[in-house]
Amino acid sequence: MAKRRKRRRRRRGIPPVLIALFLMVIVGAAGLITGYVKKYTPSDTRMNLTKYYKLENQEEVALILQDTVSDTKGRVIDGKVYIPYSVVTDTLGGRFYWDEETQKMLYTTPDSVMEIEPESTVSTKDGSTQEEDYVPVKEIDGSYYIALDFLEKYMQIKGQVYESPARAVISYKWQTIQTVETKTDTVVRYQGGIKSPILSDVKAAETLQLLEKMENWSRVMTPDGVDGYVQNKDLKAAQEKELVYDGDYEENYTSLTRDHKINLAWHQVTSEAANAAFDETVKDVQGVNVISPTWFSVTGSGGTISSMASADYVSKAHAKGMEVWGLIDNFDKNVSTLETLSKRSARTHIIEMLLSEAKRVGLDGINVDFEALTEEEAPHFIQFIRELSVTCRANNLVLSIDDPVPQYTSFYNRKEQGIVADYVIIMGYDEHTTGSESAGSVASLPFVEEGIIQTLKEVPKEKVINGVPFYTRLWTENNNGAVSSQVLGMDQADKYVQENGMEVYWNKDVSQNYGELSTSEGTQKIWLEDEESLEAKMKLIQQYELAGVAAWKLGFERADVWAIISKYLQ
């Protein structure tokens, strides 16, 4: 029997197309995994801090002012850090002033004006043994710089200098801040995202200042001045921290503020006849303890002033229990306030003449009424006030300053006024005045209150006096669209309303009686300043515990307003 042959079964191989598909899947999966890993793996790229701070050479120093990296750079010279004069005055609020006329840096203390020549040296003790000479003020490329060490002697600031790259972290706002502590070692990144470059490493339990918290990231500031982002998962809950100045400099400005409320009335004096009419002017006045006659005016850019000061007037006022604070203004349109106050010789001459007149007639104080100041004039005005304050303090003269409501005049530097002067008076009127595009109240209650609120942010309440108007404006909106007004005293305004049958009603939005009248010339409107509106304003003065009230002006009031004023100054 023949043997059967066994048949071998041929193995079939995996089709090439399947192998190709399999490889494609493997490669795709690897790509996906690589992409996923790449996407979610934090970047370890580091940003060069020299570029981060935008330092262009080795003499530049980055400035971190409280919690802000400044665009302006300092300088490092002979191992000392110098801060630009513009940063010192505009941001740090330093009491330094470059006097162009004398080419000196001035610093005003409570009792003198220090003069510093650029490139001159001073000595300071290093610790308790060594003395070191250095230059406090330098001129570099036409700009002025002040040594950080020197600033720390005369300002409530604290600076910490770091290297690689050079930067100075300067604290000057002593307030409550938000801080966060790190849970673990982590990094600060340039932006909020794990792919953003690293700026700095931070250790666990390190305290950072919290600038802004977002959903997954927080913007922080490190103690050495790096502003960047940390993931929220690496941070503990925010805490409040009080920044307390622990340096050596102390503000020792003494003040001549009174231990009673001020009830001041301005007396517009434009002639000797007005001085002579003092008795008649104040015959019905009650409760006023300060009278401020408009006696002085700047008449020349060299610092000349006109004077109508009268010793007899002062004697009569004193006999009635009134102090006399002589007012000086800048109302002469032919005299440039900028040209005058920017020269030390002119400022000095004004001050010397005021002191001479004050001694001659026996003044108790000086009231400064420089109005319509521009942003360019403001630094020179503040220096004038500083220098005047030295003279007033030395001669026991109360120094008060009249300021507009701080709506568009933040550059008046009320904070500095509140330090060097005795009183800051808000001129709580002229909300609508000559030149206004539309008719409106002279002093609506919301306008007055906002002025008080904003002023109290910069000036202590025991130094703030609120000015109130005794006058009203009668507005006419002509048929051709033009707007004009005339000033009326209280009795004049009431007389006009009654004689013309104008109906008035209490407008609670402005806290004034309002009236309106149609005439052949157009529509007349009036927001009355009367006993009711005055009482509403006096309630604010009482509510905010201000130092007192000032009224413009004597002659516009009715006799019964004095009882209302006194009622709220008890």
Side-chain angles (χ1 to χ4, degrees), residues 304-378:
T304 56
I305 68 172
S306 61
S307 172
M308 299 191 71
S310 163
D312 183 55
Y313 183 109
V314 174
S315 295
K316 290 179 178 178
H318 285 172
K320 288 185 172 291
M322 299 178 186
E323 294 186 21
V324 182
W325 299 356
L327 180 149
I328 181 169
D329 65 46
N330 65 334
F331 296 170
D332 191 327
K333 295 180 180 179
N334 296 316
V335 180
S336 165
T337 299
L338 177 62
E339 185 180 349
T340 304
L341 297 186
S342 61
K343 295 183 297 189
R344 189 174 186 198
S345 60
R347 297 193 304 270
T348 300
H349 189 64
I350 293 172
I351 293 167
E352 288 175 347
M353 292 303 298
L354 285 174
L355 178 59
S356 175
E357 287 294 276
K359 288 181 175 180
R360 181 178 69 83
V361 303
L363 285 181
D364 305 287
I366 301 294
N367 177 236
V368 180
D369 187 24
F370 281 26
E371 298 188 18
L373 294 175
T374 65
E375 197 159 355
E376 186 180 10
E377 293 164 347

Side-chain angles (χ1 to χ4, degrees), residues 423-491:
Y423 291 103
V424 174
I425 303 177
I426 309 167
M427 294 186 288
Y429 39 80
D430 284 347
E431 179 181 4
H432 295 85
T433 186
T434 303
S436 295
E437 295 181 359
S438 60
S441 169
V442 165
S444 68
L445 200 66
F447 170 82
V448 174
E449 184 168 24
E450 183 63 18
I452 293 171
I453 291 170
Q454 294 304 319
T455 300
L456 289 176
K457 291 179 179 179
E458 299 183 277
V459 184
K461 63 185 180 181
E462 60 269 16
K463 286 192 171 188
V464 176
I465 296 172
N466 190 64
V468 297
F470 282 163
Y471 67 94
T472 292
R473 283 188 178 273
L474 174 65
W475 296 87
T476 301
E477 295 180 343
N478 295 334
N479 297 323
N480 60 8
V483 178
S484 61
S485 68
Q486 64 182 104
V487 171
L488 303 174
M490 289 185 174
D491 284 335

